[in-house]
Structure formats: C-alpha cells, structure tokens
Amino acid sequence: NPYILATLLFGLGLGTTITFASSHWLLAWMGLEINTLAIIPLMAQHHHPRAVEATTKYFLTQATAAAMLLFASTTNAWLTGQWDIQQMSHPFPLTLITLALALKIGLAPMHTWLPEVLQGLDLTTGLVLSTWQKLAPFALLLQIQNVNPTILVTLGLASTLLGGWGGLNQTQLRKVLAYSSIAHLGWMILILQYSPSLTLLALLTYFVMTFSTFLVFKLNKSTSINALAISWTKAPILTSLTPLVLLSLGGLPPLTGFMPKWLILQELAKQDLTPLATLAALSALLSLYFYLRISYAMTLTMSPNNLTGVTPWRFSSPQLTLPLAIATTATISLL
C-alpha cells in the first residue's frame, strides 16, 4: 500500500533527522528507535521465512544496542549530571556508547548479525539498510569526543580484517556486500579520531558506490555469483561496466573508491601510525580478491547455453536506469 510505504519512509527520515538535530542523549536514542521501528515492516514485507528471520535478528540487535545506549547515557547523567552529547567526559559511559553504536552499524566484532540480516532481504531494502541506516549512528559517533583512541582503532582494524576474510568464502552477493560494508566501515572508524571530515568523505563515497552496486544487481535480478554468469544476455552494456564499479569498491585508482582510502592512509601516516596504515592497506587486498572474483564471474567467463533471444534489458524501467547511470558514473570517474 503506497500510503503505508510513504508513512514508513517518512518514519525513516524522521528518525534520522531527530538524531541529527539532537544534542540530548534521550532525543538521540528516540531518533534511533523510530528509525529501527520504521524499517522493520519494510524488511518483513515479503512474508518469506528468511525475511521474517532477518527482521527478528535485526530487531533484537538494534534493541540491544539502543538499550546499551540508553543505559550508558543514563549512567553518564548519573556520574556527571550531563545529558549533553558533546559533554561526555567519563570513560565508562563513553566506551559503552561507542560499543553500542558499533553494534548498531555492524562493526567487528559485533558484526555477525549484518550478513545474516542482509541475506534475508530483497535488494532495495538491503540498500536502505546498508546506506541510510548508517547515517544516524555515524552522526552520534562524530559528535562524541575524547573516546579512547585504542577502542576505535581496534574496532576499525578488526572490521577491515574480518570484512575482508569473511567475504572470501561467500557465494551469495548480499553476504559479500555485507562483508564489504563491514570493511568500509572499518576504514571510516580508523580515521574517525584524527580527521572526522575524512570519515564523512569515506561514508559519502561508500554510499555512492554501494548504491550503484545494489542497482546493478537489482537490474540483473541476481543474488548469487552463479546468476551473474548469464548477465551478458540480460544487459551487455551494464555487465561491461560492473567490474569497474566493483573495483571502485575495492579501492583501485583511478576510480572513486581509491580517493578516501588514499587520503585515509596519508592521514594515518601523518599521525605516525605507519604500521596501522600498512595493516589497513593489506586488509584491503582481501576485499579486492572477492570483488575480482565477482568481476571474473560476470565478464571474463562466457556461460554456455546462453539464451541469445532473451533481451530483457531493452525494456528496463526508467525509474531504475537514471539513478543507476548517475551512481555508476560517480563511482567510476573519480569524483
């Protein structure tokens, strides 16, 4: 029903906006809750056992994270008498809130729910979950100062490494995208302490790249690597562009995905964290491997028994192709 859909999308927007605009922890918590409650019906709309299972998992993790956040902010108010987001000073609630927000966006080692949840959803809801739902927790992470840098660096490194390792043995595209999301978030968290503007840049470029990747898979109607092998007949032009989109996600020059990684490595080196930068760069190699594998399945192999008569790409919908064209161009030509 379009009215229900409009209400839910309005709820999503409202929740994020409330969190953005809040300087009080209770208000921030309320925005996150509205956000969670608005996306849950969208996730369960297909009444498929997998979708319902994914929705339940998502609801439980988000509720846990929100409860942790509420507990931490109340503890902070009790210890310091402050409800202000910017005024956090006590290390205990600070650490707890960082962990709660990490659970909310799916940073390692609190990441295990993300691939499972994403696998149960259709690609459109998966796209919302991978992009829009990350905005509100990130707004809070950017606002809290004087977090122990060790925590953020540990979370960031663990995410880049586990995001790389986890995606290696996946054949389902949505799970691969989930692990890719974990790895990208790790890069953003690594640099959060030293250059918040770089974190925002990485977040925005990640949004653009993920958007085009999800749209490509949606247009191909493919959810596993096997289904990509026959995408030549469905959309030849698109199939030849997709490897570039995927390699941009992996962070190869001269594509867009290279820019934030390059700047992050440069900033880490400036901060005398060369070992950290080296580890992060090596972990990007892991992710690169599975992007290359998908590109290989799509473009470098010709599937037998191709139905050359079937060309559904001529009738593809304009609502999908225009955003796809914009997103793909932004992903491929360095912004």
Side-chain angles (χ1 to χ4, degrees), residues 33-76:
E33 284 293 286
I34 293 173
N35 225 348
T36 305
L37 291 176
I39 200 173
I40 278 178
L42 289 174
M43 294 168 82
Q45 62 185 336
H46 290 299
H47 296 303
H48 187 270
R50 288 303 298 265
V52 176
E53 181 193 355
T55 312
T56 313
K57 284 178 179 169
Y58 182 74
F59 175 68
L60 290 173
T61 48
Q62 296 299 308
T64 310
M68 270 173 75
L69 190 102
L70 196 57
F71 172 67
S73 47
T74 318
T75 312
N76 183 58

Side-chain angles (χ1 to χ4, degrees), residues 25 67-83 88-94 96-97:
W25 273 117
M68 270 173 75
L69 190 102
L70 196 57
F71 172 67
S73 47
T74 318
T75 312
N76 183 58
W78 177 47
L79 292 169
T80 61
Q82 280 286 1
W83 278 104
M88 295 281 286
S89 53
H90 202 282
F92 173 67
L94 260 175
L96 208 53
I97 277 181

